[in-house]
Amino acid sequence: MAYSNYFNPEETLDREGIERLQAERLRSTVAHCMGSGFYRKRFRDIGLSHEDIKTLDDLQKIPFTTKQDLRDTYPFGMASIPLSKCTRLHSSSGTTGNPTVILHSQKDLEQWANAVARCLWMVGCRPEDVFQNTSGYGMFTGGLGFQYGAELLGMLTVPAAAGNTLRQIKFFTDFGTTVVHAIPSYAARLHEVMCERGVDPRRDTKLRTLVIGAEPHSDQTRRRIENMLGVKAYNSFGMSEMCGPGVAFECPEQNGMHIWEDYYIVEIIDPVTLKPVPEGEVGELVLTTINREAMPLLRYRTRDLTRILPGECPCGRHHKRIDRIKGRSDDMIILKGVNIFPIQVEQVLVQFKELASDYLITLDTVDGSDYMTVEVELAGSNIDDYAALQTLERNITRMLRDEILVTPKVKLLPKGSIPQSEGKAVRVKDNRKQYQ
Ligand code: ADP
Ligand code: ZN
């Protein structure tokens, strides 16, 4: 059957069309936000009326919304519609202080499913595909978010949920799974267990497409996973505050993630001065939702660091592309005055074919000085050649020092030594006194 390349007509809008629609939706969103006690007060406090917001430039007049605002108004203080009109909530774990709650109306859930379906369609998923979701279901939005999106597209969906790797692999072979959604660390784990069980993904499965996201990973890691599983892997970006998955997604060009500008207005700001950075420069991603009903967020500071990729995408879509997420501003390690992102360490480690993909960065204070240890698992089981291991350790240390400008202690470990986490991989353990 011949299908269109596009799931929605909004994908084909040119810049003028996108911006016209955004201005229209911004005006109605801001008016709608006056139904929220939080935004009403915010606007009143600075003498701003919702009628002052007419053009996209007027967005700059609106104060930022932060995660702290969501915590302070926990659980329902941000809602713009009565609770009786809401049909679902998702909540974050809240390891630090109050958790946060995101409310959805039925229309919000439909729009969210549409965004996810659009992303999946863009990378070639069609109703003939079998889609297996290895995300946790429940509060984690990667579960239900992908489920409803894949169903709307019309794929046969397998809600396998997280864990039980042997069962996941059995589903691949029994159900003829062609598309999988997994976080990058789990995609590598799937391959590892397939190898142990003598399952060759190319020979024994129909896997073709992998959707990976939810945690920072480098392009080298993506290529490595693609080679392992014999698939094309597409980066998927989302967060609970913006519904969940479906915010930005790579197209078949695999060259940055298109952010759906009929859903969001994108800004990149300097996290210190809070002023916009010039296009192409890295800063904090700020998003305004323009088609949400239950709980729209205006200029929400995501704390994710990225940049807008300049230029046109050869796929023909004019929705802006964001670069891979470099990390969260609060993931940044400051060691001996140097700013380091875990992803920089990963970019070095992935270049050594002797290493597996699991690693852990530990920070300690010894005699008043801070030290970094990088533990990483070896790929093979042959760890008897002591001299070769020492050389390897030295080479890794040197390359890490060149990249992050401090010298870590590198420890090579046998495979399986680093504990696996259930959800997103834990890459940093900070034992330093001031951080406890
Ligand atoms: P939590 O805040 O508990 O991690 P979320 O599931 O809402 O819950 O996580 C959203 C965050 O995950 C984003 O703000 C971002 O930091 C990270 N993230 C999501 N997708 C990606 C991706 N493709 N690449 C890198 N980081 C991502
Ligand atoms: Zn594109």
Side-chain angles (χ1 to χ4, degrees):
M1 201 198 299
Y3 290 114
S4 155
N5 274 337
Y6 301 103
F7 193 73
N8 295 136
E10 289 84 351
E11 284 171 80
T12 62
L13 289 173
D14 59 12
R15 286 307 311 165
E16 207 190 319
I18 290 174
E19 284 168 22
R20 196 176 323 115
L21 182 62
Q22 284 188 318
E24 224 170 78
R25 290 190 172 177
L26 174 65
R27 281 191 292 271
S28 58
T29 295
V30 172
H32 179 76
C33 279
M34 296 304 113
S36 132
F38 170 82
Y39 279 120
R40 238 183 0 255
K41 177 166 185 324
R42 252 290 134 105
F43 274 53
R44 203 173 47 226
D45 285 352
I46 58 164
L48 187 66
S49 156
H50 67 89
E51 286 170 350
D52 297 334
I53 310 300
K54 294 191 179 74
T55 67
L56 289 179
D57 288 339
D58 292 333
L59 187 65
Q60 302 296 320
K61 298 176 183 163
I62 303 174
F64 295 105
T65 306
T66 62
K67 186 135 193 156
Q68 192 56 44
D69 292 326
L70 298 190
R71 294 205 173 108
D72 293 346
T73 56
Y74 176 85
F76 303 137
M78 295 287 272
S80 287
I81 58 173
L83 219 51
S84 59
K85 293 217 163 73
C86 298
T87 50
R88 198 196 301 162
L89 67 75
H90 280 273
S91 173
S92 77
S93 51
T95 36
T96 51
N98 260 348
T100 55
V101 159
I102 306 297
L103 290 159
H104 301 272
S105 68
Q106 194 54 37
K107 187 165 159 240
D108 292 334
L109 294 175
E110 282 161 19
Q111 297 277 26
W112 178 16
N114 179 74
V116 174
R118 184 195 288 181
C119 294
L120 292 169
W121 188 274
M122 178 166 68
V123 297
C125 297
R126 297 294 179 266
E128 293 74 19
D129 279 298
V130 179
F131 177 87
Q132 187 166 326
N133 190 7
T134 71
S135 274
Y137 279 62
M139 288 299 185
F140 181 58
T141 54
L144 291 174
F146 271 104
Q147 181 67 30
Y148 285 109
E151 284 179 9
L152 179 67
L153 194 155
M155 289 187 280
L156 174 61
T157 61
V158 184
N164 205 337
T165 308
L166 285 179
R167 196 181 61 154
Q168 301 277 4
I169 295 168
K170 184 169 165 50
F171 287 170
F172 290 164
T173 52
D174 292 358
F175 302 150
T177 302
T178 53
V179 186
V180 181
H181 170 237
I183 54 177
S185 47
Y186 193 60
R189 174 84 191 136
L190 281 166
H191 177 254
E192 202 176 281
V193 178
M194 281 190 196
C195 290
E196 281 165 21
R197 299 282 152 162
V199 177
D200 176 346
R202 289 180 175 79
R203 185 193 59 204
D204 305 321
T205 78
K206 293 188 180 157
L207 296 180
R208 183 171 54 79
T209 303
L210 176 71
V211 174
I212 47 171
E215 57 187 22
H217 59 288
S218 60
D219 193 47
Q220 294 97 312
T221 299
R222 179 250 292 277
R223 296 297 174 205
R224 190 173 182 169
I225 293 172
E226 285 188 323
N227 286 333
M228 285 171 172
L229 293 172
V231 294
K232 265 194 111 178
Y234 299 97
N235 195 0
S236 151
F237 172 78
M239 74 183 65
S240 316
E241 297 93 314
M242 297 293 130
C243 282
V247 178
F249 214 84
E250 277 182 334
C251 68
E253 301 292 329
Q254 292 184 307
N255 186 13
M257 296 179 280
H258 287 284
I259 183 151
W260 298 125
E261 292 185 85
D262 51 327
Y263 279 63
Y264 305 100
I265 299 176
V266 194
E267 296 171 84
I268 307 280
I269 61 161
D270 179 321
V272 178
T273 65
L274 305 182
K275 295 276 176 277
V277 301
E279 190 168 276
E281 280 183 26
V282 173
E284 180 179 342
L285 177 69
V286 172
L287 295 174
T288 298
T289 67
I290 48 173
N291 69 347
R292 293 258 300 274
E293 209 173 44
M295 201 176 128
L297 295 174
L298 303 177
R299 303 191 84 199
Y300 182 70
R301 290 188 59 183
T302 66
R303 299 180 300 169
D304 286 321
L305 301 171
T306 184
R307 63 190 187 111
I308 302 282
L309 292 173
E312 295 286 319
C313 183
C315 82
R317 287 175 185 80
H318 296 284
H319 294 253
K320 285 180 185 160
R321 288 167 303 155
I322 55 168
D323 204 353
R324 274 175 191 282
I325 305 295
K326 211 168 132 81
R328 282 189 187 190
S329 49
D330 38 5
D331 277 348
M332 192 174 73
I333 300 165
I334 305 179
L335 188 75
K336 298 179 194 289
V338 181
N339 300 346
I340 303 164
F341 286 99
I343 196 82
Q344 291 177 277
V345 171
E346 180 180 309
Q347 270 161 358
V348 169
L349 299 180
V350 79
Q351 294 175 41
F352 290 87
K353 63 179 184 328
E354 299 91 337
L355 302 178
S357 43
D358 279 318
Y359 66 94
L360 180 67
I361 300 167
T362 308
L363 306 165
D364 290 292
T365 307
V366 181
D367 296 334
S369 280
D370 292 343
Y371 292 93
M372 176 192 279
T373 309
V374 176
E375 292 172 293
V376 56
E377 292 183 1
L378 288 159
S381 48
N382 180 12
I383 51 163
D384 300 333
D385 187 345
Y386 186 67
L389 286 186
Q390 273 200 320
T391 311
L392 179 60
E393 239 172 46
R394 262 200 311 275
N395 290 341
I396 299 169
T397 310
R398 202 179 44 238
M399 279 188 56
L400 281 172
R401 192 188 49 225
D402 290 349
E403 172 65 32
I404 61 179
L405 309 176
V406 294
T407 309
K409 165 109 195 74
V410 173
K411 282 192 191 163
L412 302 176
L413 305 174
K415 214 162 173 21
S417 312
I418 295 176
Q420 296 276 327
S421 52
E422 255 288 297
K424 301 187 187 197
V426 177
R427 302 298 194 197
V428 182
K429 215 166 95 191
D430 199 339
N431 300 324
R432 291 176 295 177
K433 294 214 169 44
Q434 67 268 37
Y435 292 90
Q436 282 175 350

